[in-house]
Amino acid sequence: MCRAAREELGLHRVEAGTVLANTASQRVLAKAGFTEIGVAPRYLHIDGARRGHRLFRRILHDGPPTGPGHRPNGPPAPGRRASGLAPGRALWRHGTHR
C-alpha cells in the first residue's frame, strides 16, 4: 500500500489511527515503519460512544510533490487554489478556523 501511495499517487505520507486499546494494530503499524504522532481524544464514534485514537504516520519521501494533478512551476490545477485546498474548504491552523 505504501509503495502504491508513493509511486502511483505521489503522496508524501500515509496516516493511520487505532483505538487506544488496540495495541496489536499499533505494533503492526510500528513494524511497518509508522511513527506515533499523537492521541486524538473522542476521535470517532464507535459502538455507541466516542473513542480516543492513537495516530500514526509514515513519511514516504521528502522530495517535491509529484502526484496526479501536480503542476510544477505552473498555475494550480483547475478548481484548486495555490494552497492545494479546493475552493470553499476551511483551513484549520492551531485550533482556530480561518
Side-chain angles (χ1 to χ4, degrees), residues 20-80:
L20 293 175
N22 191 344
T23 57
S25 290
Q26 294 163 16
R27 283 192 303 272
V28 169
L29 288 169
K31 287 181 182 180
F34 284 74
T35 56
E36 184 179 337
I37 58 173
V39 173
R42 299 174 37 87
Y43 188 62
L44 291 174
H45 192 267
I46 299 173
D47 292 331
R50 291 253 169 215
R51 311 281 180 193
H53 278 62
R54 198 166 306 280
L55 305 176
F56 296 82
R57 75 173 178 198
R58 179 173 168 184
I59 303 297
L60 303 174
H61 68 87
D62 284 327
T66 59
H70 173 68
R71 296 178 175 198
N73 304 321
R80 306 296 279 182

Side-chain angles (χ1 to χ4, degrees), residues 1-14 58 60-61 66-68:
M1 177 179 79
C2 289
R3 182 180 300 127
R6 178 183 176 165
E7 294 174 6
E8 296 175 27
L9 300 175
L11 297 179
H12 169 254
R13 71 181 175 276
V14 176
R58 179 173 168 184
L60 303 174
H61 68 87
T66 59

